[in-house]
Amino acid sequence: MTVILYIAMGIALLTTVIALTRLNAIHALLYLITSLLAIAVVFFLLGAHFAAALEVIIYAGAIMVLFVFTVMMLNLGPPAIEQERRWFVPGMWAGPGIFLLMLLGEIIYLVYNLRGIETSGTGGSPSEVGVSLYTTYLLGIEISSMLLLAGVVGAYHLGRRAILPVAEEPTRPLLLTEGRKS
Amino acid sequence: MTPIPLDLGLLFAAVLFLLGALGVLVRRNIIFMLLSLEVMFNAAGLAFIVAGSRWGQPDGQVMFFFILTMAAAEVSVGLALVLRLRHLLGTLDVDAAATMRE
């Protein structure tokens, strides 16, 4: 079991690195989906079965598909990859990389104090999670449902004009409220 | 299922989070920045799950659920903004958005 966990962790880290260094957006998305599935395996092995299912269904299934559809709608071609190649030079990532490595060193030092503590191997069964969601965290559920509603309305309003043809666009940039006229 | 060292799980989450942060800082393409944000959200949720597994309580998964909801709402609005940016400026460069306000 432990070996499976280590393999899943390694796959997750490796595919995340590969995904964030790709030039082609679709390739990056496919690697990131692999990474999310590996993290779902980690969740399952930690005993969080409900979270593992959510990770597969919502993260890998819904959010990443949304990304894929957007990239398809943007219709990026070889010029976009050429542009990425020009942007993605060592001078660009060396500075942030060094400082984030220092931060990682600090985290390793701090986490080292937790040495010897182990997880329990169970993170609450799905029914326990459901009961907790609808009793203790009921207000949180209501707030997150309102957040999702706001997301739906915002995405609809912002994305509506973008897929129409650009025949009679005014010269100045559109204000966000002008979508209502059409 | 299987008990693992707590520091290993937290370190895994921290490395994933820093990878996402590096992606946000380094990439100029707005799609890759949104992807890196997703990695960071996911790493934060992972830390909650590991902590929830430490005490065997469902609260970690509840927090992961809330993070998931927020990530879904963020990504829907963010991708609509990406489409709009591409529509208005013809590029995915975040620096080009500095001129959006005229």
Side-chain angles (χ1 to χ4, degrees):
Chain A
M1 279 304 201
T2 320
V3 178
I4 298 177
L5 185 89
Y6 291 154
I7 292 174
M9 280 182 171
I11 291 173
L13 286 179
L14 200 65
T15 47
T16 306
V17 171
I18 295 173
L20 296 182
T21 52
R22 285 306 89 181
L23 300 176
N24 190 327
I26 287 285
H27 296 173
L29 283 168
L30 292 177
Y31 275 110
L32 201 62
I33 289 172
T34 316
S35 163
L36 293 175
L37 293 177
I39 292 173
V41 173
V42 174
F43 283 171
F44 184 76
L45 291 177
L46 280 170
H49 301 166
F50 185 60
L54 281 182
E55 179 91 7
V56 174
I57 295 170
I58 298 187
Y59 253 114
I63 295 181
M64 286 300 129
V65 168
L66 204 60
F67 268 102
V68 170
F69 275 133
T70 309
V71 173
M72 281 162 66
M73 279 172 75
L74 290 175
N75 208 4
L76 305 168
I81 296 174
E82 229 6 84
Q83 191 181 37
E84 282 296 311
R85 185 165 288 131
R86 264 184 283 117
W87 283 345
F88 199 62
V89 290
M92 198 85 175
W93 50 263
I98 289 169
F99 288 113
L100 285 178
L101 266 182
M102 287 162 65
L103 277 181
L104 179 64
E106 287 186 346
I107 291 174
I108 290 174
Y109 175 73
L110 291 173
V111 164
Y112 192 76
N113 293 329
L114 299 173
R115 204 151 196 82
I117 305 175
E118 289 210 325
T119 59
S120 64
T122 148
S125 68
S127 69
E128 280 174 3
V129 175
V131 167
S132 184
L133 266 179
Y134 283 96
T135 53
T136 319
Y137 294 98
L138 188 60
L139 188 64
I141 286 284
E142 296 291 339
I143 292 172
S144 56
S145 67
M146 273 186 252
L147 181 71
L148 279 178
L149 183 66
V152 168
V153 173
Y156 176 70
H157 183 72
L158 287 173
R160 191 160 54 143
R161 278 300 297 258
I163 52 174
L164 295 180
V166 282
E168 65 294 328
E169 281 300 317
T171 48
R172 66 193 174 82
L174 280 173
L175 293 176
L176 298 185
T177 50
E178 281 182 347
R180 288 194 200 121
K181 283 181 195 161
S182 59
Chain B
M1 301 284 269
T2 166
I4 65 161
L6 182 63
D7 54 344
L8 180 76
L10 289 179
L11 208 58
F12 177 55
V15 171
L16 269 183
F17 187 86
L18 288 178
L19 279 176
L22 189 64
V24 172
L25 291 173
V26 165
R27 301 307 292 253
R28 277 176 73 184
N29 188 327
I30 192 163
I31 288 201
F32 281 95
M33 293 179 75
L34 282 176
L35 271 182
S36 310
L37 275 180
E38 288 307 309
V39 174
M40 287 168 77
F41 279 133
N42 207 8
L46 181 68
F48 271 111
I49 298 273
V50 172
S53 176
R54 163 72 181 87
W55 282 281
Q57 294 294 319
D59 302 70
Q61 288 182 72
V62 172
M63 286 300 154
F64 177 76
F65 180 81
F66 289 149
I67 290 174
L68 195 73
T69 314
M70 193 183 60
E74 178 260 348
V75 92
S76 61
V77 175
L79 287 175
L81 280 172
V82 168
L83 285 179
R84 201 157 186 101
L85 188 78
R86 166 86 174 177
H87 181 64
L88 289 177
L89 304 173
T91 175
L92 291 176
D93 185 3
V94 277
D95 291 352
T99 61
M100 216 176 199
R101 217 171 141 243
E102 289 288 297

